[in-house]
Structure formats: structure tokens, C-alpha cells
Amino acid sequence: MRSDRIKEGPSRTPHRALLKALGLTDAEIRRPFIAVVNSKSDYIPGHMNLDKIAEAVKAGIRNAGGVPFEFNTIGVCDGLAMNHEGMRYSLCSRELICDSIEVMLTAHPLDGIVFIPNCDKIVPGMLMAAARLNLPSIFVSGGPMLSGRAAGKRIGYVEGFEAVGAYTSGRITAQELLEFEEASCPTCGSCSGMYTANSMNCLTEAIGMALPGNGTIPAVTSARIRLAKAAGERIMELLRDNLRPSRILTRKNFENALAADMALGCSSNTVLHLLAVSHTAGVPITLDDIHQMGLKVPQLCKLNPASDVFIEDLNACGGIQAVLKELSRAGLIHEDVQTVSGLQSDRMSAAKPADGTVIHTIEAPIRPDGGIAILKGNLAPDGAVVKQGAVAPEMMKHTGPARVFDCEEDASAAILGGQIHPGDVVVIRYEGPKGGPGMREMLAPTANLAGVGLDRQVALLTDGRFSGATRGAAIGHISPEAAEGGLIALVQEGDTIEIDIPARTVTLAVPEAELARRRAGFVPPEKELSGYLKRYAAMVTSGSTGGVFRD
């Protein structure tokens, strides 16, 4: 066992003394040591229950004959970090989470790992750590939040953001705004729609690194506690069988995750994170791979923010395994792949058939292609990403004048100030991985457009990124970014921008001679940076490569 490095032989007498100082008995020291990596903090509603999840995991480990050791990672709540300087640190935290786990589990050699994430960058950061360390590993998240109710309808977190725009434009009262505030996040858990946290928890299940139910069983249910206990027990079997992430994070399983991504209509952030995890795992996935998957896999589910269907509804209809089972009817899932609980074919066999409403059938999909589309064109030669499953039909093709802003705050002020008009294309630049730095997630401007009633009339483009809670013609990850001299840096107020999502193109309709003139005089603005952001900006790569660090 790997933990023998700190407990076997006379030379490890001092090490055993420290273990006994923790209260371990000789019998416990002889057993396998299992890390329980918990992202619990007091900041995040999605983490409010992670102490209970961890205790259940540890009980499962002990049930199966192991000794658990828990430690915590950092974690950013994207909602609390949204629309201010703190959002620059959200994507940045992914690499810190991965690095810190490597540090802890190399300094303290244990035998296996149970990861407990919930929310945004934490899930991919832990997946990257699992790939890097390649120890027997399993994931169990804290589970999704339940939906709320306000204004006579079911709501999620995004409706709270949209209510701000509605209030600012006089469409709702202060009392109605308060109703959204009190109802949009009614329980603990990762926010209730198919936002980034739930997207990544669902894809962790689809890729085979978590037990069935990981992505969808609500946080407040006893079933979530039982799942955590089962994960604790299961890690001991993975250790016995020496089943490591390298046998699960394979090309075929990444393709299963991408197929699920397209069928579920997940967050556009999943593109960043799957690229990063695949890079760490040594199984390179490219934007072209994601583009091809999007062309052949139909969208079967349309969840909030694109509809009033929530994760709890998906769970009631069979969850991720039911979606994979339906995709497998069309040969879109690799069934002969290894997961943390047997072959994928075995996991799907017990799943419910598609109900036809929450999970559409292959014969009657929501759309014939996937929920995410990769766009290219002169404005994004290296690629851009849109959650097309949340775009109104009338905005799938759009041509309009550019309204140019060099930061998110200025764009939000213009939207709420009535300066954006039907037909416009809002451009927000210098928000990319390097230029931001940190590639801020922009739920506020997109939600403000919806709140003032312009989400079906105005498009938004950025070299930054969008929350999974975003809906509308919001095109992000434009690469190369402005700070790297991408064409988005040369867009001027009033330029015509042409968006054709079905054709997968985004084009700046300006003559090449004029662009050459602008390019000759281009000097990117410099930002005064310090601390981690300065190091991050120097090391980070493009959004088109997942925003990983340079090798």
C-alpha cells in the first residue's frame, strides 16, 4: 500500500508516533488509509451539507475496513463572486485546488481518495487532481438545490438575477424583487438548474468517476447521504481491484461525457473544464472534437435556465443514467467502458426509459443537434462557445451593430441605463483568461438583458465566459482573446457583426484593409497586477485550450 511509506518498518517509528498522537490504534494503522477531500466552507450554500456528506463517506470507509483522513480545499461561490473583482479568482481557483490536493496527498501518501465537491471550479479541479495523482478515486457531490417559487412560478437562481433588471426597468416592484430574493435559493445544494456546478456533477457521473445518482439526487434527501456512504464503501473495492482514474478517464469515457453534455444542454463552462481535465489526463480533447459531437448528438433535455424543468425533475425521471440509456439506443454511448461501479452497460441497464417530456426520446428530440455549439469565423478563428439550447429561435441568426465595452461593469451599466437597443450586439472584451485576467463569468449582463426584456433581441459576445445560468444569444470564449491581439480587440462601435449559430459562424463584417489599418495601430492596454492574478496571467493559455497553464 502507498501508505506503507509512512507506517512500515523500524525507520517509520516517528511517523507511527504521530499517527498514534491522532488516536489511531495499531489495528487502524495496519488498514488502508483513505483521503476524504472535502470542499466544505461556511461561504457556499452548495457546501452547507458537506459535513454530513463527509461523515457518511467516512462511515462507509470504516464499514469496509479503511481509515479515513479528511482535509479541505478552497472553493469560490460563483454567485457571491459574481459581477465584481472576486470573479477574477473563480476560474483561477481550479488550478489552485488541483495543486493543493497534489501537495497534500504527496506529502501524506494515502491509498485512495474520495472527492466531495459541489460548485463550479471545484469539480474540475478535483477531477484534474484525480487524473494527476492516479490513485483509486471516487466522487460524491453534495447534490443539487431544490427549485423555489415566486411570482406564481417555479424559479431558480438565475431568475433572481433577472429580477434585478426587471426591477430597474420598472417591470416589478421592490416587494416583488424581495420575493425573488427569498425564494430563488430555498435549500442547501448547488443551484437548482443546469448551471455549471450541476453540469459538472452530472458529467462526473457520465464519465464514470461517480456512482449513479451523483449528478441529480437532491442535496436535502436521505438518498444523498446513502449515496455518500456507498461511495465510502466503494472506494475500498476500487483499492482492492487497483482500479485507477487512468482506466476510467479514457477517450471513450470522455466521449460519453461529451455526448451527455450535448444531450443535457449543459453549461458552456463544461467546454473549458472537459478540455482541462482531458489535458491533465493525457487524453487530449479539442474544440473540433466537441464540435463534431455537437453535430451528431441530439439535445434530449431542456432544463432551467432554458425552461422551468429543474435537476430534481431530471432525477425523478431516472437522472443521468436514463439519459445515457436513451442515447445508447442510437449508438451514441460507449457501453463497454469501465466506471467506478462496473461497466457502463451494467449501470444503464437498471435505468428508467426516457419519459418523453423531461427526457425526450431519440425519435423526438428537442433539437437534432447538441445543446452546445462551437462557432468559428474571422472574429473567433480559434473558436467560441454558445449554449445554443438556451437561445431563442429568433436569435439563432442575428446581424447588428456592435456596442463595445472593455469590461463587464461598463456593459452592465449601459444595459441597466437603457443605452442598449433591440438589434444591438454587445461586445465585452479584455475579460479573457489573460486579459481579465481570470476569464470572468458574466451572469449579470445576460440576466440584465433578460430582465429588461431584450434577451430575444440583443446578442452578447465576449472573450470572457458565461454562467451556466445564462440564457440568450450569449457567445463566449472568443479566441484569440483581445489581450492576445485577437480580432475582438479591433471591433469598433457600430461595426456590423453577423452571428449564424446553425452555420456555426461569428463574423466581423469589416473589410480586411480596414482591419489591417486598425491592427497596425493596436496596443493592448496594460493592467497593474499583483499576487496570484499576476502569476496566473503569465501562465494561462487560451479559452480554446481550456485555460490550462502552459507546460
Side-chain angles (χ1 to χ4, degrees):
M1 291 189 294
R2 188 170 180 264
S3 60
D4 288 346
R5 299 175 191 177
I6 57 172
K7 62 187 186 183
E8 281 293 309
S11 66
R12 294 301 182 252
T13 296
H15 302 68
R16 289 191 297 274
L18 290 171
L19 294 173
K20 288 182 177 180
L22 293 172
L24 268 65
T25 66
D26 287 326
E28 287 177 309
I29 291 172
R30 288 192 293 270
R31 296 173 190 161
F33 285 0
I34 305 298
V36 178
V37 185
N38 192 353
S39 56
K40 162 76 177 176
S41 76
D42 289 342
Y43 279 105
I44 307 175
H47 296 191
M48 189 171 147
N49 65 327
L50 294 192
D51 53 349
K52 295 181 177 62
I53 296 296
E55 287 306 314
V57 165
K58 289 190 283 187
I61 291 169
R62 293 188 185 102
N63 287 348
V67 180
F69 291 83
E70 182 182 355
F71 69 91
N72 292 82
T73 68
I74 63 167
V76 172
C77 175
D78 278 25
L80 292 174
M82 194 72 66
N83 200 28
H84 61 84
E85 186 68 14
M87 181 48 73
R88 300 197 190 284
Y89 289 84
S90 177
L91 182 60
C92 294
S93 71
R94 187 185 68 187
E95 270 59 33
L96 281 178
I97 289 165
C98 178
D99 288 347
S100 67
I101 295 168
E102 177 191 354
V103 167
M104 285 294 287
L105 291 181
T106 305
H108 314 112
L110 276 63
D111 303 305
I113 316 170
V114 181
F115 291 94
I116 307 177
N118 230 24
C119 300
D120 298 278
K121 311 316 150 307
I122 301 164
V123 187
M126 288 185 173
L127 281 168
M128 291 162 69
R132 188 182 294 179
L133 291 162
N134 199 31
L135 294 170
S137 300
I138 192 169
F139 282 67
V140 57
S141 75
M145 185 182 289
L146 297 181
S147 60
R149 192 167 188 86
K153 63 180 182 180
R154 296 172 73 196
I155 64 167
Y157 182 59
V158 64
E159 282 79 9
F161 263 90
E162 292 175 0
V164 174
Y167 171 73
T168 303
S169 61
R171 299 170 74 193
I172 63 173
T173 66
Q175 182 58 41
E176 289 170 318
L177 181 62
L178 179 61
E179 185 182 357
F180 278 91
E181 178 180 321
E182 295 185 339
S184 59
C185 295
T187 72
C188 67
S190 46
C191 296
S192 54
M194 190 55 83
Y195 313 154
T196 305
N198 286 327
S199 293
M200 288 307 302
N201 283 331
C202 289
L203 296 188
T204 301
E205 179 181 337
I207 210 169
M209 287 296 293
L211 295 173
N214 178 72
T216 59
I217 295 174
V220 294
T221 62
S222 297
R224 176 59 58 174
I225 299 296
R226 294 195 300 272
L227 183 74
K229 196 171 292 185
E233 294 171 345
R234 185 64 191 168
I235 188 62
M236 299 304 295
E237 297 180 53
L238 299 178
L239 179 60
R240 180 200 65 206
D241 297 339
N242 196 29
L243 181 54
R244 298 170 182 260
S246 57
R247 289 178 55 195
I248 297 173
L249 296 176
T250 62
R251 175 81 186 192
K252 286 184 176 181
N253 265 331
F254 274 105
E255 289 178 353
N256 282 354
L258 288 173
D261 201 353
M262 295 301 170
L264 291 164
C266 289
S267 164
S268 57
N269 282 319
T270 58
V271 172
L272 276 175
H273 299 323
L274 288 175
L275 289 172
V277 175
S278 71
H279 173 82
T280 308
V283 186
I285 300 293
T286 67
L287 281 184
D288 286 340
D289 294 323
I290 298 173
H291 168 68
Q292 292 300 325
M293 189 66 72
L295 294 179
K296 71 179 184 179
V297 177
Q299 185 177 354
L300 303 182
C301 302
K302 192 168 189 175
L303 286 86
N304 181 271
S307 77
D308 60 357
V309 177
F310 291 85
I311 300 292
E312 65 202 78
D313 305 314
L314 178 60
N315 185 65
C317 293
I320 303 309
Q321 298 306 313
V323 175
L324 298 178
K325 185 174 187 174
E326 185 61 23
L327 289 175
S328 71
R329 293 181 53 234
L332 295 170
I333 293 296
H334 300 290
E335 299 185 30
D336 61 342
V337 292
Q338 184 66 57
T339 75
V340 292
S341 57
L343 295 179
Q344 181 55 47
S345 56
D346 297 331
R347 284 157 56 107
M348 294 186 305
S349 64
K352 297 178 182 179
D355 69 311
T357 302
V358 173
I359 305 173
H360 286 232
T361 64
I362 286 290
E363 292 80 11
I366 290 167
R367 56 182 307 120
D369 53 357
I372 292 175
I374 307 300
L375 312 185
K376 289 195 174 182
N378 71 341
L379 197 50
D382 291 345
V385 182
V386 62
K387 184 175 178 174
Q388 67 170 344
V391 178
E394 57 266 40
M395 291 298 294
M396 293 295 285
K397 293 184 179 181
H398 181 79
T399 298
R403 306 297 310 280
V404 183
F405 304 92
D406 286 351
C407 68
E408 175 191 357
E409 289 84 353
D410 290 350
S412 290
I415 293 165
L416 293 177
Q419 299 172 37
I420 303 301
H421 308 292
D424 286 348
V425 179
V426 175
V427 176
I428 306 177
R429 62 192 178 192
Y430 299 109
E431 292 285 10
K434 180 179 289 292
M439 202 178 190
R440 282 197 289 182
E441 190 174 87
M442 300 181 199
L443 178 55
T446 56
N448 289 337
L449 283 173
V452 301
L454 290 175
D455 58 304
R456 291 174 175 266
Q457 298 169 291
V458 171
L460 197 156
L461 292 91
T462 182
D463 52 7
R465 60 196 179 88
F466 295 110
S467 165
T470 291
R471 60 187 175 93
I475 299 169
H477 310 196
I478 287 181
S479 300
E481 62 175 289
E484 294 274 50
L487 193 60
I488 189 173
L490 307 182
V491 180
Q492 294 184 0
E493 189 80 7
D495 284 351
T496 297
I497 292 178
E498 300 168 351
I499 299 165
D500 190 336
I501 296 174
R504 305 297 198 264
T505 60
V506 54
T507 306
L508 177 63
V510 172
E512 185 55 43
E514 170 61 15
L515 293 177
R517 185 190 68 78
R518 295 180 191 180
R519 192 174 285 111
F522 170 69
V523 178
E526 291 188 11
K527 293 185 177 180
E528 290 293 327
L529 300 174
S530 62
Y532 181 52
L533 281 185
K534 184 174 183 177
R535 284 180 281 137
Y536 184 86
M539 297 173 69
V540 72
T541 61
S542 167
S544 64
T545 55
V548 297
F549 282 170
R550 302 185 192 284
D551 291 329

